[in-house]
Amino acid sequence: MLKPMFGFRAKPKKFELPLRYYDPEEDEKRRRRIRIKTNRHRNRHRSQNIRVMIYAIGLAIVIWVITLL
């Protein structure tokens, strides 16, 4: 708090970026993992839609039966 009054300024923090090299094998592994994850979500999404439709049809039938009585 007192340092800025006496002319001291905050210095930017030093940052060293680690060197990275392109590894084609690692890139291929990453692509395979991504493909597997996306396929799982697609299948789960489709089965969830079917389940919602079955519940909606069941609810419609129940409401229809109640209105007939």
Side-chain angles (χ1 to χ4, degrees), residues 3 7 13 30 44:
K3 284 188 176 184
K13 292 183 179 181
R30 186 176 295 127
R44 188 177 302 159

Side-chain angles (χ1 to χ4, degrees), residues 1-63:
M1 186 169 141
L2 293 175
K3 284 188 176 184
M5 290 186 197
F6 297 107
F8 291 101
R9 291 187 175 207
K11 295 179 183 176
K13 292 183 179 181
K14 293 182 179 180
F15 176 76
E16 283 191 32
L17 183 66
L19 296 176
R20 296 184 180 186
Y21 298 100
Y22 177 71
D23 186 13
E25 293 176 6
E26 185 67 30
D27 192 36
E28 187 62 32
K29 288 178 185 177
R30 186 176 295 127
R31 285 182 186 167
R32 287 183 191 151
R33 275 186 281 165
I34 291 171
R35 284 184 196 144
I36 291 171
K37 288 180 181 178
T38 55
N39 287 340
R40 288 181 186 166
H41 292 295
R42 287 181 187 164
N43 291 339
R44 188 177 302 159
H45 184 68
R46 288 179 186 160
S47 65
Q48 197 171 21
N49 283 341
I50 293 170
R51 193 176 308 139
V52 169
M53 289 302 294
I54 290 172
Y55 288 143
I57 292 170
L59 182 63
I61 291 171
V62 168
I63 292 172

